[in-house]
Amino acid sequence: MSLISAMLKTYVANGLTKVQIRKLQQKRLKRLVKYAKKNSPYFKELYKDIDVNSNFKLENLPITNKIDMMQNFDAYLTDRNVTMNKIKEYTSNIDNVGRMINNKYLIFKTSGSTGNPATILYDKPNIDVASAVAAFRTFARKEDFKKFMKNGKRTAGVFANHGFYLACGMSRYLSLQMPRKKNKITIDVNAQESQIIQELNEFNPAMLSGYPSNLAVLADFDELKIRPDVVITGGELLTDDIRQKLETKFNCYVQTHYSCTEAGEIACECFNKHLHINEDWVIVEPVDKNNNPVAYGVRADKVLITNLSNYIQPFIRYELTDRVIVHNEKCKCGKNTCWLEIEGRTDD
């Protein structure tokens, strides 16, 4: 799948009905499961009782988790030419952030905020899907997108910018792919406030992104003079108080999204502040602490996510300790996808 193909598929999916979305999910799930069983020793054993050529149901598949994945890392991957030892050697050079190992896969690491850091690989199709979703679903309001485009698409992200984390890794990958474009910067969140403020003022972004808690700290500084067209937060829960504080400081619309390194962009916010699940590329199952399904409108203890676009490191019914409430009622924005509320992590 090329970037153009991913863009087209994502654009077309915006107009699908709920029934059509479910059929698309099943088609992509079956293809992914079949590939995982054929190419991953871990999934070959895990799915030994699953007939991948039959019309199996998602709930018939065993649940996976971070600890098992990391303990069986080499066997978990679908490419036998990539191993943890090779990854450790590759990531020992910080200059390889944003560069592909074997010219095939980007390497990311999670922060380990739940006590268990993970190593995640993105293949080209997964990268292209992430780009397509960003292109068509990032903005909650059309007017913000138009202003952003008019003002040169200048984007500033205040994130962890030293290491193999998703935000800085993807940012560097894109800058290496398009070295002549100078409309995007990433500022290290760990830098001094004075340095961050200076860089933001000099760049004057049309879009400002970052962790809600850190942007809330920056908003207290009168020295910060930027007036972005939109602020998009991520990586943490955006509370109503912080949303209001940022709107007051920057005099623009503030929105958020729901993502993780394993699944990418899980849900994007609409103008009703509903986080719509990108159901064409990810399946979200809300469950209780015993992994039993939770009904719509009821808070889940955790979620099982299935990333339908990552073939090098399949995340199928993969456990995340996020507490969410999934809704299936029609949203006034017109989208046909389910949407969710986030209440934090069980581990917290």
Side-chain angles (χ1 to χ4, degrees):
M1 180 169 56
S2 64
L3 176 59
I4 293 177
S5 177
M7 298 278 279
L8 180 60
K9 291 175 186 293
T10 303
Y11 177 79
V12 169
N14 287 340
L16 297 182
T17 65
K18 285 184 177 292
V19 173
Q20 290 172 324
I21 291 171
R22 297 295 173 265
K23 288 182 178 180
L24 180 60
Q25 282 185 337
Q26 185 60 32
K27 177 183 177 181
R28 289 178 175 167
L29 174 66
K30 187 172 182 179
R31 184 186 304 146
L32 175 63
V33 168
K34 189 174 182 178
Y35 186 89
K37 184 174 181 179
K38 178 181 178 181
N39 295 281
S40 163
Y42 176 87
F43 281 98
K44 183 178 181 179
E45 174 63 24
L46 190 67
Y47 293 162
K48 61 184 179 182
D49 297 324
I50 303 294
D51 181 0
V52 295
N53 294 311
S54 67
N55 292 321
F56 59 84
K57 295 182 179 180
L58 179 64
E59 54 267 29
N60 297 144
L61 301 176
I63 293 170
T64 59
N65 60 69
K66 186 187 299 183
I67 294 176
D68 285 350
M69 178 190 71
M70 292 306 297
Q71 288 179 345
N72 300 277
F73 189 83
D74 290 357
Y76 195 98
L77 301 182
T78 59
D79 188 339
R80 307 273 58 79
N81 293 314
V82 183
T83 65
M84 179 55 77
N85 285 337
K86 289 183 179 179
I87 289 174
K88 286 180 178 178
E89 180 181 356
Y90 195 78
T91 56
S92 65
N93 182 356
I94 198 67
D95 189 54
N96 284 328
V97 171
R99 301 183 190 276
M100 288 185 161
I101 187 172
N102 294 352
N103 293 318
K104 287 185 176 181
Y105 314 114
L106 284 180
I107 303 172
F108 301 115
K109 296 183 179 182
T110 64
S111 62
S113 59
T114 60
N116 297 296
T119 299
I120 314 297
L121 301 186
Y122 274 33
D123 52 19
K124 189 62 166 58
N126 200 42
I127 297 170
D128 290 340
V129 166
S131 298
V133 170
F136 292 117
R137 299 171 187 170
T138 291
F139 290 86
R141 307 191 312 177
K142 292 181 179 179
E143 55 264 41
D144 298 323
F145 175 70
K146 290 179 180 178
K147 288 187 290 185
F148 171 71
M149 296 295 291
K150 182 180 179 181
N151 291 324
K153 301 185 289 185
R154 297 186 315 280
T155 304
V158 185
F159 293 106
N161 194 31
H162 186 77
F164 289 81
Y165 299 113
L166 180 62
C168 52
M170 282 297 292
S171 178
R172 186 153 194 252
Y173 169 77
L174 293 173
S175 68
L176 290 171
Q177 297 298 305
M178 299 173 286
R180 294 185 179 181
K181 287 196 174 184
K182 305 297 182 183
N183 60 356
K184 186 173 184 178
I185 64 171
T186 301
I187 303 172
D188 191 357
V189 72
N190 295 305
Q192 293 293 323
E193 286 93 343
S194 58
Q195 179 183 340
I196 297 174
I197 291 169
Q198 180 181 347
E199 290 190 43
L200 286 174
N201 284 340
E202 291 176 352
F203 188 71
N204 189 27
M207 179 200 295
L208 173 64
S209 58
Y211 310 119
S213 59
N214 292 103
L215 294 183
V217 171
L218 291 174
D220 290 328
F221 288 83
D222 294 335
E223 297 89 340
L224 186 60
K225 304 296 185 181
I226 62 172
R227 284 292 178 265
D229 299 313
V230 64
V231 173
I232 302 180
T233 71
E236 299 170 352
L237 179 66
L238 176 63
T239 64
D240 292 338
D241 289 343
I242 291 181
R243 190 192 294 262
Q244 182 59 55
K245 181 178 182 178
L246 297 179
E247 287 179 346
T248 301
K249 169 66 178 181
F250 298 113
N251 191 31
C252 69
Y253 191 75
V254 177
Q255 62 178 87
T256 191
H257 61 109
Y258 174 38
S259 64
C260 69
T261 311
E262 294 92 335
E265 198 75 5
I266 298 174
C268 299
E269 195 175 73
C270 72
F271 56 75
N272 286 316
K273 297 181 174 60
H274 291 161
L275 286 162
H276 286 267
I277 303 171
N278 294 308
E279 293 183 301
D280 49 337
W281 295 116
V282 63
I283 301 173
V284 176
E285 300 175 78
V287 296
D288 63 20
K289 60 183 180 181
N290 296 315
N291 293 321
N292 297 311
V294 169
Y296 292 120
V298 178
R299 194 190 77 178
D301 294 309
K302 51 187 176 178
V303 295
L304 306 177
I305 60 102
T306 299
N307 184 339
L308 296 170
S309 63
N310 191 335
Y311 277 70
I312 172 58
Q313 190 173 4
F315 293 99
I316 305 171
R317 305 200 79 200
Y318 181 85
E319 182 182 286
L320 294 179
T321 56
D322 294 337
R323 292 197 304 262
V324 305
I325 301 173
V326 177
H327 298 266
N328 70 336
E329 59 263 36
K330 182 75 173 182
C331 179
K332 292 181 180 179
C333 75
K335 294 181 179 179
N336 291 320
T337 50
C338 292
W339 51 276
L340 53 79
E341 302 172 68
I342 307 172
E343 293 199 1
R345 283 180 169 170
T346 305
D347 305 81
D348 293 338

